[in-house]
Amino acid sequence: MAASSSGTGASREAGSAGNGSVVTFNRARNTGSIVDSVVEQIEETITRQGLPAGYRFGTKQELCEQFGIAPATLGEALRVLRGRGVVEARPGPGGGLFVTERSPLLRLAHSVMELRQRGSTVNEMIAVLAALDEAVVSDAAVHRTDQDLRDLDDLMNRLAEVWHDPVNGLHANWRLHRRIAEISPNAVLRAFYLNLVDYIDGELAADGDSAPRLPVPGFVADSEQRLEKHRDLVAAIRSGDQARVRTAVERHGSLDR
């Protein structure tokens, strides 16, 4: 079946994945990164259609034709996907691109991705992040390096610059939280937190200027008090003082009215 040249999601023949059906892909988007477009299509298709380990997508040549891309571009996308443990390439007769057996961490990450289809809201995600904040910031205070602190300072400065921009300010906020979480050596905590942040940030990008707001009367997203709470988080991480971490996280979780 020929790949469509217009949509962004994968299509498939009648039947359910894993029962003799064939998954095919649409041409990669010409806007943004083509590699990212290919990676996104493959990951979303595996998750949405529940493709089992060992499912064969086809040969590299077939995938290049479906996506409308050069072999080198597909190779870059496959490097990303292999690094994430999502797919593997097998040589020889009957070879091609196959879905891998996902590790528990990857299954956790894909479970988060599936929340969109289940209708979970951004505010529900934010509530879960708030419950994890102390563990994430506490780990950062213990394990941060000098380079981590320099990165946090740079992100904090950028956040202050765009704080009153309703869209860029929110994206900068999540970049800061993402970098804090990356410091944690706890792979489960880090993976879960980062996937939640990516989900939220992706929803903001999809919404454009209509950024979601917490449904709390009088809540001001870009108040100077909230900006100062983010500075307190970075300062607490720099101090390494766990009592200061708890205070900063509690203040960060409170709403300004």
Side-chain angles (χ1 to χ4, degrees):
M1 182 170 64
S4 167
S5 62
S6 57
T8 58
S11 58
R12 61 176 176 174
E13 293 179 357
S16 59
N19 292 321
S21 65
V22 178
V23 170
T24 61
F25 296 96
N26 299 321
R27 289 186 176 274
R29 293 189 295 265
N30 291 325
T31 57
S33 167
I34 294 178
V35 171
D36 288 346
S37 174
V38 172
V39 170
E40 178 184 345
Q41 276 203 59
I42 292 176
E43 285 190 322
E44 288 188 353
T45 299
I46 292 172
T47 298
R48 184 174 60 255
Q49 300 190 15
L51 301 182
Y55 183 91
R56 181 178 182 274
F57 285 122
T59 66
K60 292 182 180 179
Q61 180 179 348
E62 290 169 343
L63 291 174
C64 284
E65 292 173 356
Q66 290 178 31
F67 285 116
I69 57 177
T73 303
L74 179 64
E76 290 183 38
L78 293 184
R79 278 193 290 275
V80 173
L81 292 165
R82 283 197 295 267
R84 297 179 182 180
V86 176
V87 301
E88 62 178 334
R90 301 177 189 172
L97 184 65
F98 294 81
V99 178
T100 60
E101 181 68 45
R102 292 179 295 176
S103 69
L105 282 180
L106 285 170
R107 287 198 299 271
L108 174 63
H110 280 276
S111 294
V112 174
M113 290 172 61
E114 291 169 358
L115 292 174
R116 179 176 299 169
Q117 281 73 42
R118 299 174 188 170
S120 299
T121 67
V122 168
N123 284 338
E124 287 174 333
M125 298 294 177
I126 291 174
V128 175
L129 280 182
L132 297 176
D133 272 338
E134 184 171 344
V136 167
V137 179
S138 176
D139 270 4
V142 172
H143 300 285
R144 85 286 188 278
T145 65
D146 289 344
Q147 183 59 56
D148 292 329
L149 292 175
R150 285 192 291 270
D151 289 346
L152 294 180
D153 286 340
D154 288 343
L155 289 169
M156 188 65 238
N157 291 335
R158 174 57 179 164
L159 178 60
E161 290 174 0
V162 298
W163 184 244
H164 296 292
D165 183 306
V167 175
N168 291 327
L170 283 170
H171 289 312
N173 170 74
W174 293 121
R175 283 194 291 272
L176 176 65
H177 282 275
R178 186 182 289 112
R179 186 63 182 87
I180 291 172
E182 288 171 351
I183 300 172
S184 174
N186 186 325
V188 176
L189 175 64
R190 188 175 63 246
F192 193 53
Y193 195 96
L194 289 174
N195 274 279
L196 287 172
V197 169
D198 287 345
Y199 177 95
I200 295 168
D201 207 20
E203 288 296 291
L204 298 184
D207 288 343
D209 291 335
S210 58
R213 298 181 180 275
L214 293 176
V216 178
F219 174 69
V220 181
D222 63 343
S223 70
E224 292 303 316
Q225 291 89 342
R226 285 196 70 241
L227 179 60
E228 191 61 31
K229 290 174 183 180
H230 287 82
R231 290 196 179 100
D232 288 346
L233 286 177
V234 174
I237 292 169
R238 174 173 276 103
S239 75
D241 184 332
Q242 292 298 321
R244 187 170 178 180
V245 164
R246 285 191 294 274
T247 299
V249 170
E250 288 173 2
R251 291 190 69 241
H252 174 266
S254 65
L255 298 176
D256 300 317
R257 308 182 183 205

